[in-house]
């Protein structure tokens, strides 16, 4: 029999996982030695994510974080995905099988959970070393994900173009804008959604970067407004050149999305232990047309699941900690029978 597990503590760590628009589309039930993870459809994003792909990726990350938390707390754990064919929203079962001494990696990854935050600010102008990218690729590969650094200029041009095209399509879609707005928060004490101050001020199109971050304040801007030319005598701004990686899977089923989330969760934690920060740029993957064009233009074998900007945070950057729903809202603990 396993010593009593503090499920509230484990779930509070698991829910630090990133999720699209910080929707936190998960709920958990726990018994003495088991944690079940469910998709919470009440938090769906029918416009931007009608298939639930990005939300299942988010839930997969929460599964990975729960596993890391359990191992760091000294438990051996087995994870089964979608093991209940009669219950579509039952995503994962983590079964604690006994005690196991955590190693240094388990502890480092667990510590990284509280340190990881999505960083959309411009990164330091220094490249991520190749050995570190190799390490992230190995971590991704160990979880069935392929990992492609966008380096060749024609791949960069195609990806940047599709990203901008997708962002443009989204901004023209009133249903998309309404849905996005409903997840943007101005109250700093918020428990879900994307806080306005987690997003750099100003129009993302004005940033000196090819990589357009998602515009969370699109409705407050004048569409196609004429923008005054910059001061022509001013020195040109430094162009941000982040490392951008595309991660994907061989298949594109619900279970593949969940597995992708598990792998991505681990990749983000390993990146955090190495001092890196990241932000997803998923606009081009939101829409079947731009997603499949990305596959063609980059000759991908398999299915892209996540585009990530990765780099070093600028000195003095204040990290914005996004809210989470209280554990009591997402966890029910069932008495042992
Ligand atoms: C599947 C997925 C897609 C996401 N897409 C974007 C995106 O396109 N642009 C962006 O700025 N953030 C994106 N995010 C980041 C979320 O907004 C972020 O994880 C959430 O607000 C919680 O903040 P945190 O990661 O700092 O904890 C995405 C996250 C996930 C899991």
């Amino acid at each position: 029999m396993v010593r009593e597990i503090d499920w509230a503590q484990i779930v509070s760590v698991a829910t630090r996982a990133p999720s699209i628009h910080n929707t936190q589309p998960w709920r958990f039930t726990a018994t003495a030695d088991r944690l079940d993870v469910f998709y919470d459809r009440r938090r769906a994003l029918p416009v931007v994510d009608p298939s639930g792909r990005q939300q299942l990726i988010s839930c997969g990350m929460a599964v990975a974080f729960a596993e890391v938390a359990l191992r760091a707390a000294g438990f051996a754990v087995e994870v089964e995905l979608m093991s209940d064919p009669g219950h579509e929203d039952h995503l994962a079962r983590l079964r604690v099988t006994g005690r196991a001494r955590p190693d240094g990696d388990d502890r480092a990854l667990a510590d990284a959970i509280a340190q990881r935050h999505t960083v959309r600010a411009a990164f330091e102008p220094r490249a991520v070393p190749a050995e570190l990218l190799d390490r992230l690729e190995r971590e991704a590969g160990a979880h069935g994900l392929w990992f492609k650094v966008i380096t060749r200029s024609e791949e960069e041009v195609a990806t940047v173009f599709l990203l901008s095209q997708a962002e443009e399509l989204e901004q023209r879609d009133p249903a998309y804008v309404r849905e996005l707005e409903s997840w943007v928060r101005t109250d700093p004490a918020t428990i879900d959604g994307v806080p306005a101050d987690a997003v750099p001020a100003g129009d993302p199109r004005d940033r000196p970067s090819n990589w357009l971050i998602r515009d969370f304040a699109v409705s407050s801007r004048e569409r196609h407004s004429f923008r005054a030319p910059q001061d022509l005598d001013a020195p040109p701004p430094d162009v941000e050149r982040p490392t951008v990686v595309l991660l994907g899977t061989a298949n594109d089923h619900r279970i593949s999305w969940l597995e992708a989330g598990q792998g991505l969760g681990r990749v983000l934690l390993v990146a955090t232990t190495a001092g890196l920060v990241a932000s997803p740029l998923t606009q081009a993957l939101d829409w079947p047309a731009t997603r499949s064009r990305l596959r063609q233009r980059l000759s991908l074998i398999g299915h892209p699941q996540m585009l990530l900007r990765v780099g070093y945070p600028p000195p003095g950057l204040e990290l914005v900690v996004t809210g989470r729903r209280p554990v009591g809202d997402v966890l029910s603990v069932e008495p042992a029978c």
Side-chain angles (χ1 to χ4, degrees):
M1 181 62 192
V2 174
R3 177 174 67 84
E4 203 168 288
I5 301 167
D6 183 350
W7 286 118
Q9 158 65 14
I10 300 294
V11 167
S12 98
V13 174
T15 58
R16 289 307 316 164
S19 59
I20 178 156
H21 296 1
N22 199 15
T23 44
Q24 308 164 45
W26 43 59
R27 61 184 183 81
F28 303 81
T29 60
T31 59
D33 60 355
R34 209 178 76 193
L35 182 68
D36 288 285
V37 185
F38 297 86
Y39 175 36
D40 185 345
R41 284 177 190 270
R42 289 168 304 178
R43 310 185 67 82
L45 295 171
V47 180
V48 79
D49 189 27
S51 64
R53 185 183 65 82
Q54 302 197 63
Q55 289 202 311
L56 259 61
I57 290 176
S58 310
C59 291
M61 297 207 200
V63 172
F65 281 23
E67 184 182 354
V68 165
L70 281 165
R71 290 194 195 284
F75 296 107
V77 50
E78 284 172 4
V79 182
E80 288 169 11
L81 299 184
M82 296 183 168
S83 53
D84 182 353
H87 193 329
E88 218 199 341
D89 293 339
H90 180 251
L91 301 182
R93 172 163 296 168
L94 293 93
R95 202 189 297 276
V96 174
T97 54
R99 301 286 302 172
R101 189 185 296 275
D103 63 19
D105 283 352
D106 294 326
R107 290 206 195 85
L109 291 185
D111 289 347
I113 289 178
Q115 293 153 15
R116 184 217 59 84
H117 304 286
T118 296
V119 172
R120 301 176 182 86
F123 297 151
E124 268 210 334
R126 71 178 154 123
V128 178
E131 317 79 77
L132 189 45
L133 290 172
D134 289 347
R135 199 168 140 214
L136 299 181
E137 181 168 9
R138 282 198 301 280
E139 190 65 34
H143 294 85
L145 274 176
W146 50 257
F147 180 99
K148 179 180 177 60
V149 185
I150 308 288
T151 44
R152 299 206 350 252
S153 69
E154 64 276 20
E155 290 176 346
E156 179 173 330
V157 169
T159 313
V160 162
F161 173 76
L162 289 170
L163 186 64
S164 309
Q165 199 182 38
E167 177 72 37
E168 184 77 29
L169 283 172
E170 296 185 323
Q171 296 191 6
R172 288 173 192 277
D173 179 349
Y176 165 86
V177 173
R178 264 196 310 276
E179 183 181 81
L180 180 72
E181 266 187 333
S182 71
W183 288 99
V184 175
R185 306 282 185 257
T186 45
D187 175 358
T190 183
I191 58 169
D192 61 9
V194 179
D197 58 2
V199 181
D203 189 330
R205 292 171 299 172
D206 291 337
R207 283 159 60 112
S209 174
N210 292 338
W211 299 99
L212 202 56
I213 63 162
R214 192 185 291 274
D215 190 353
F216 286 92
V218 57
S219 59
S220 65
R221 290 185 219 299
E222 267 180 58
R223 297 246 353 107
H224 300 297
S225 52
F226 175 76
R227 280 177 278 160
Q230 310 283 318
D231 174 359
L232 295 178
D233 294 328
D238 284 339
V239 174
E240 188 207 26
R241 298 198 61 86
T243 299
V244 175
V245 295
L246 186 62
L247 297 103
T249 48
N251 297 309
D252 205 26
H253 309 306
R254 291 176 86 238
I255 196 161
S256 329
W257 304 336
L258 208 49
E259 286 166 347
Q262 286 180 288
L264 273 160
R266 303 270 313 188
V267 167
L268 287 175
L269 294 182
V270 172
T272 306
T273 63
L276 292 172
V277 290
S279 78
L281 298 165
T282 58
Q283 302 96 311
L285 307 184
D286 293 344
W287 308 104
T290 44
R291 191 171 175 229
S292 72
R293 216 160 296 149
L294 191 68
R295 287 182 74 197
Q296 289 159 10
R297 297 289 298 274
L298 273 58
S299 307
L300 301 173
I301 299 172
H303 304 268
Q305 303 294 356
M306 173 63 79
L307 189 67
L308 267 187
R309 230 172 115 248
V310 186
Y312 292 95
L317 177 77
E318 272 187 39
L319 294 168
V320 177
V321 180
T322 51
R324 292 296 184 274
R325 290 186 290 155
V327 171
D329 288 5
V330 295
L331 170 67
S332 57
V333 181
E334 292 170 1
C337 36

